[in-house]
Amino acid sequence: MAKYKKITAYMVFGILTTVVNVAVYYICYQILKIPNIYSTAAAWCMAVVFAFLTNKPFVFESRNWSQKTVAAEAVRFFGCRALTGVLELALMFLFVDILALQGTVMKIFTNIIVIALNYIAGKYFVFDS
């Protein structure tokens, strides 16, 4: 059971991060009528901050909150997330702006891909757990 604790926690907080991501995107894109790419970027920013604050203690059990440790983890975390953020922006541009597919549905779809990549990055490159 302990073997699956980290992956279960990541799934729970991954779903919550996706909810934050999709909700911010929906508000920006559907309600405020902000263009797709800007809505995607705003949603990404909010989701990444939420993910860092939840993944650090609850998923990867990194309990050291010293300024040095948090700064190092944050740089690695945001660096890895920037890479998957670029992938997310490219996919959203392709699916919504080029192929004219439904934005919120494509946001959910791209997040499935991004969540898997982010777990790998968090587990092996980011947190000192």
Side-chain angles (χ1 to χ4, degrees):
M1 192 67 165
K3 179 180 172 181
Y4 299 105
K5 181 181 176 190
K6 194 174 284 189
I7 193 89
T8 302
Y10 186 76
M11 288 174 58
V12 167
F13 288 104
I15 290 167
L16 292 173
T17 300
T18 299
V19 168
V20 169
N21 197 327
V22 173
V24 172
Y25 177 81
Y26 180 84
I27 290 166
C28 291
Y29 186 66
Q30 298 292 340
I31 296 172
L32 300 176
K33 305 299 183 195
I34 297 171
N36 173 52
I37 293 300
Y38 298 117
S39 295
T40 299
W44 177 86
C45 289
M46 296 296 288
V48 169
V49 170
F50 176 83
F52 180 77
L53 294 174
T54 57
N55 280 212
K56 178 177 172 44
F58 302 119
V59 176
F60 298 105
E61 298 176 349
S62 177
R63 305 277 188 231
N64 186 340
W65 288 94
S66 72
Q67 186 175 7
K68 181 180 177 183
T69 297
V70 171
E73 289 175 343
V75 166
R76 292 190 304 263
F77 187 85
F78 288 99
C80 289
R81 294 290 168 113
L83 294 175
T84 58
V86 170
L87 174 64
E88 183 177 344
L89 280 168
L91 290 173
M92 288 298 290
F93 178 73
L94 172 67
F95 293 144
V96 178
D97 295 331
I98 303 297
L99 299 176
L101 299 173
Q102 206 283 330
T104 305
V105 173
M106 291 299 98
K107 186 70 169 158
I108 294 167
F109 173 73
T110 60
N111 268 253
I112 293 168
I113 297 165
V114 168
I115 285 170
L117 294 173
N118 286 338
Y119 178 78
I120 294 166
K123 182 173 174 71
Y124 295 107
F125 302 113
V126 178
F127 293 106
D128 299 327
S129 50

